[in-house]
Amino acid sequence: RTSRTSQSLLAISDIAPVVTCIKNNFEAVTSAKCRAEVSSLMLHTSENVLLNRPLMVACHQDIKDHCAAYSKAPTAGHGKLLGCLERVAQHTDQREAELQPYCAEQVLAQQLQQVTVIAHNFGMQRDCAHELQLYCSRAKEQKQLSCLQEHSHATQFGEACLASVVETTKIQLSDTRLDVALQTTCKTDLDKFCSSITPMSFAHRALGAEIDCLIHYEEQLTSEACRSRVRHKSRTLAYFPSANTPLLKECKAQFLDMCSASGELLPDALLLPCMRERRENFTGSCREKALSVERMIHREVSYNAELSVACATELNTICRSMKSNSETLRCLIMHTQSSHAAADNECVKQLTRHRIRSSESIQLMPKVNKACKEDFAYLCASASALVYPGSELECLKDARDSLSSDECRKAVRELIASSSEDARFDALLNRACAVEIKGCEAEGVAPGGGRVNECLRKKLKADSLNPSCKQQVMKLASAEIEDASVSYPIQSACHAELHEHCNVQASQQLACLELHMSTATFSKECADKVRSIIQVAVHDYRLLPSVRSSCNVDVRHNCADVAPGDGNVLYCLLQQELASNLSSAMCGVKLRAAARSAFRAFTWGQGFTRHCDVDIFHLCTEASPNSAFLATHGSVDVNSDGVFNGAEVWACLSRQAYSEEATFASQSCRELVRLLALDPSAENAASEQILKQELAEQKEKMHEHMQKLRESKKMTAQREEEKTEMFKEVAQAKAALGKKMTELTQLREQLAFHQEMATNLRALKEGAEAKLEGTEARLHSGLLVDWRMLLLGAVGALGALGWCAYRRVHSPASKGYEVIVVPKDT
């Protein structure tokens, strides 16, 4: 720029009142030529504030005190002088580095122009020309900064532009006065909630405290427009932790220690992951501040810069119509679960990281936090004090039967379903089984799709898990067995079968699928998943909720010394059933049902069915061609797939158990099968009669149960009616009592009034009587005329004489005037 140009610009800027007015009303300027001239002037003053005459006059002393090195033209350019003044303004807690109020006001006005319109910001125009053209060419002038902020994590975003965006964002977030829209829409709420921290003069900046305050009270804000602006600020803070002044105030030293390179903070794209990974290492108030940033990031998909950039295509196409954050997240999850999304897809990676991190705290799951707020406070208050990740969510899972809210129960079921899909989405399971999960991955097991959990359950049956891991694996398996709706393998593989055969309650889905496994329309994939989960269930009785609750007493009394696992306790209980030693008939029912399930899901060496492996091999396979059963019925492998499934084995074994010709190697196996199966050689009529008898007994029991239920309902209804009538009587009695109390109060008031009036009447009567007595006494003594009256008469007479004398002295005649009588008509 030539010296002549500088002089002309200085001359223009010297017209301070007019130029300042036009700058402040730039949006109202209609002339394109005028707008261009003013924009050019504002851009030049942004580059060198020596051209801003009002600022230079106001800041003359501050420049001399704090920024003397940039006070001359050669060093003031490229925004250096303004940057120096801004740095002083950002440190208002240091008395020796405080701007004078008039100077601070001018600096704030200059910064407002630069953050409002990017065209007036020299640094942004210099560093972001390419990015503005690439990403924000269609954005309005006032929206260009927001546009650059949203795209700042894109791969093609330049480092110089990113630095300028961060610096401008930091300035914008430092004070609400630098956001006119926020000041306008949130004025009432700022006065209501944040008046104590609002700067009282231009010499002080809020340094982000006002925005922090509004975010804290967001749910209580009165204006929807204000809430919208605050959400936008929250998203900006989530994108740029390095521009978050309150965060840096608490954490800068720890960030420099753990998240820095060459003594400088990592850029935001690397600082965010570092904050997530090292949050447990942060101490004091920094830890809470870091968690608050993470809460913002997990609040909505759009708040997560990495996820938004990685999944931009999916968000703008497949999930564009989603209305809420939970719907958007669900859409992304369903897309990544499909076969179209490769495991190395960047969107899949970022979404997986997002879900893994969310599983560590209820505060990072907005849906669960909102739905379970009351239940968590009542059931899990102590869990919030635990420091290990996932403890809060684990408490809700463990207390799922005690939850009072339907929304909370649904949210917790979704949590368990996520854990079923991928062990990494359960923070406690992921932490307890870290070594075992790495072992599964080393064996070629790909994460997701329930595959890691299946690998862990195989290790459970092989008794190769560490105690903590075993506990977590059994918890998840028990939840899936109890409620098949949370089992990802069952829901993904058996969708058609559930729709066709098992439109029942979630707790009955597994039993229903087991019952229909032999149907022709049942897919092999679904059958394999059902058999797999049953095989896990019969491995340990504690994984069977019905057996665990019904047989608890018998386990303590008869099988206390039996080690759980590998079907040992179930086999012990079955032996007690054969010996008629069970104390509970219901235990026997549930136990036999579990044993039949074990045989339907038969596999070699499984739990207590392994006691029949030798007999099955010798009596029901081609290895025994002389078997009477095979000679009569042909191959056990009915579908010739080379696998002996439960239905095939059970048909053979139950017939052999009642055959006199069959020789069992294990007599206990024969007795066990006879306990579970009817004699197939018995006449159909006898079998039918037995079944009818059992059915009749069941119907009778059901009838009695229904009768009791009806009676119970009737009694309950009667009690409710009685309670209602009682409440009505109590209400009527209360109303009558209230009426009587009102009347009593009125009577008391009337009585008090009458007493007061009587007292006044007595006082008047006594006064009148005393006066009368005094008058009578004077009459009797002849002194009726009081001396006061005499004195008053004397004074009156003297006054009359004085008046006459005055008239005579001051009359016209006494002064020599002649009195002339003039006729009235003259």
Side-chain angles (χ1 to χ4, degrees), residues 587-652:
C587 175
V589 173
K590 300 299 182 183
L591 184 62
R592 290 192 294 273
R596 293 187 184 100
S597 296
F599 277 106
R600 289 194 192 100
F602 171 79
T603 185
W604 300 107
Q606 168 193 261
F608 64 83
T609 63
R610 70 182 184 279
H611 295 285
C612 293
D613 282 358
V614 174
D615 294 304
I616 292 171
F617 182 77
H618 287 296
L619 298 174
C620 300
T621 68
E622 275 69 9
S624 179
N626 296 323
S627 169
F629 179 83
L630 294 176
T632 305
H633 299 280
S635 174
V636 175
D637 188 8
V638 177
N639 57 5
S640 301
D641 62 353
V643 178
F644 296 94
N645 64 43
E648 296 169 337
V649 169
W650 185 247
C652 168

Side-chain angles (χ1 to χ4, degrees), residues 374-670:
E374 294 182 3
D375 284 311
F376 182 81
Y378 180 69
L379 299 170
C380 302
S382 59
S384 60
L386 301 177
V387 295
Y388 53 86
S391 56
E392 302 162 327
L393 298 174
E394 185 73 7
C395 175
L396 287 175
K397 293 177 187 177
D398 292 343
R400 59 185 178 275
D401 294 332
S402 304
L403 300 176
S404 60
S405 165
D406 291 337
E407 289 297 321
C408 182
R409 281 194 290 271
K410 181 180 178 182
V412 171
R413 282 199 299 270
E414 290 178 1
L415 277 179
I416 300 173
S418 295
S419 303
S420 175
E421 176 196 349
D422 195 324
R424 296 173 299 173
F425 299 154
D426 186 323
L428 288 180
L429 176 62
N430 191 25
R431 185 175 184 176
C433 301
V435 175
E436 288 80 357
I437 290 174
K438 287 182 180 179
C440 290
E441 293 175 354
E443 294 170 9
V445 178
R451 290 179 288 270
V452 172
N453 282 321
E454 186 176 356
C455 173
L456 291 174
R457 288 167 190 174
K458 288 179 181 178
K459 294 180 182 294
L460 172 68
K461 291 192 287 184
D463 198 22
S464 60
L465 298 177
N466 72 74
S468 298
C469 179
K470 182 178 180 179
Q471 181 184 13
Q472 295 301 322
V473 170
M474 288 185 64
K475 273 188 178 183
L476 180 57
S478 178
E480 291 186 39
I481 293 164
E482 185 178 354
D483 185 351
S485 67
V486 302
S487 174
Y488 179 82
I490 294 294
Q491 296 299 316
S492 58
C494 302
H495 181 74
E497 288 77 7
L498 286 168
H499 180 73
E500 183 178 355
H501 302 293
C502 300
N503 187 18
V504 294
Q505 293 181 359
S507 59
Q508 300 173 356
Q509 286 182 353
L510 185 60
C512 176
L513 290 171
E514 180 187 345
L515 186 65
H516 291 85
M517 272 200 302
S518 301
T519 57
T521 57
F522 215 88
S523 68
K524 183 178 182 302
E525 183 184 8
C526 179
D528 289 342
K529 296 299 182 184
V530 173
R531 274 194 292 270
S532 176
I533 199 168
I534 293 174
Q535 289 166 6
V536 173
V538 297
H539 172 74
D540 194 317
Y541 84 100
R542 293 171 295 183
L543 297 175
L544 294 165
S546 58
V547 176
R548 185 178 66 238
S549 59
S550 302
C551 302
N552 190 30
V553 175
D554 290 292
V555 170
R556 290 202 308 269
H557 289 173
N558 301 317
C559 304
D561 57 342
V562 178
D566 205 20
N568 295 331
V569 175
L570 288 175
Y571 186 67
C572 172
L573 291 172
L574 286 168
Q575 294 300 313
Q576 297 299 321
E577 170 74 348
L578 287 170
S580 302
N581 289 336
L582 292 182
S583 61
S584 168
M586 183 56 67
C587 175
V589 173
K590 300 299 182 183
L591 184 62
R592 290 192 294 273
R596 293 187 184 100
S597 296
F599 277 106
R600 289 194 192 100
F602 171 79
T603 185
W604 300 107
Q606 168 193 261
F608 64 83
T609 63
R610 70 182 184 279
H611 295 285
C612 293
D613 282 358
V614 174
D615 294 304
I616 292 171
F617 182 77
H618 287 296
L619 298 174
C620 300
T621 68
E622 275 69 9
S624 179
N626 296 323
S627 169
F629 179 83
L630 294 176
T632 305
H633 299 280
S635 174
V636 175
D637 188 8
V638 177
N639 57 5
S640 301
D641 62 353
V643 178
F644 296 94
N645 64 43
E648 296 169 337
V649 169
W650 185 247
C652 168
L653 194 60
S654 59
R655 289 182 179 275
Q656 294 285 21
Y658 284 97
S659 173
E660 297 299 333
E661 301 175 0
T663 302
F664 274 72
S666 171
Q667 191 61 29
S668 62
C669 176
R670 171 173 262 174

Side-chain angles (χ1 to χ4, degrees), residues 14 52 79 105 191 204 223 395 515 587 685 693 765 768 795 807:
D14 195 30
N52 186 336
E105 181 179 1
D191 294 340
H204 298 88
S223 166
C395 175
L515 186 65
C587 175
Q693 185 178 354
K765 185 177 179 181
V795 171
R807 289 290 304 272

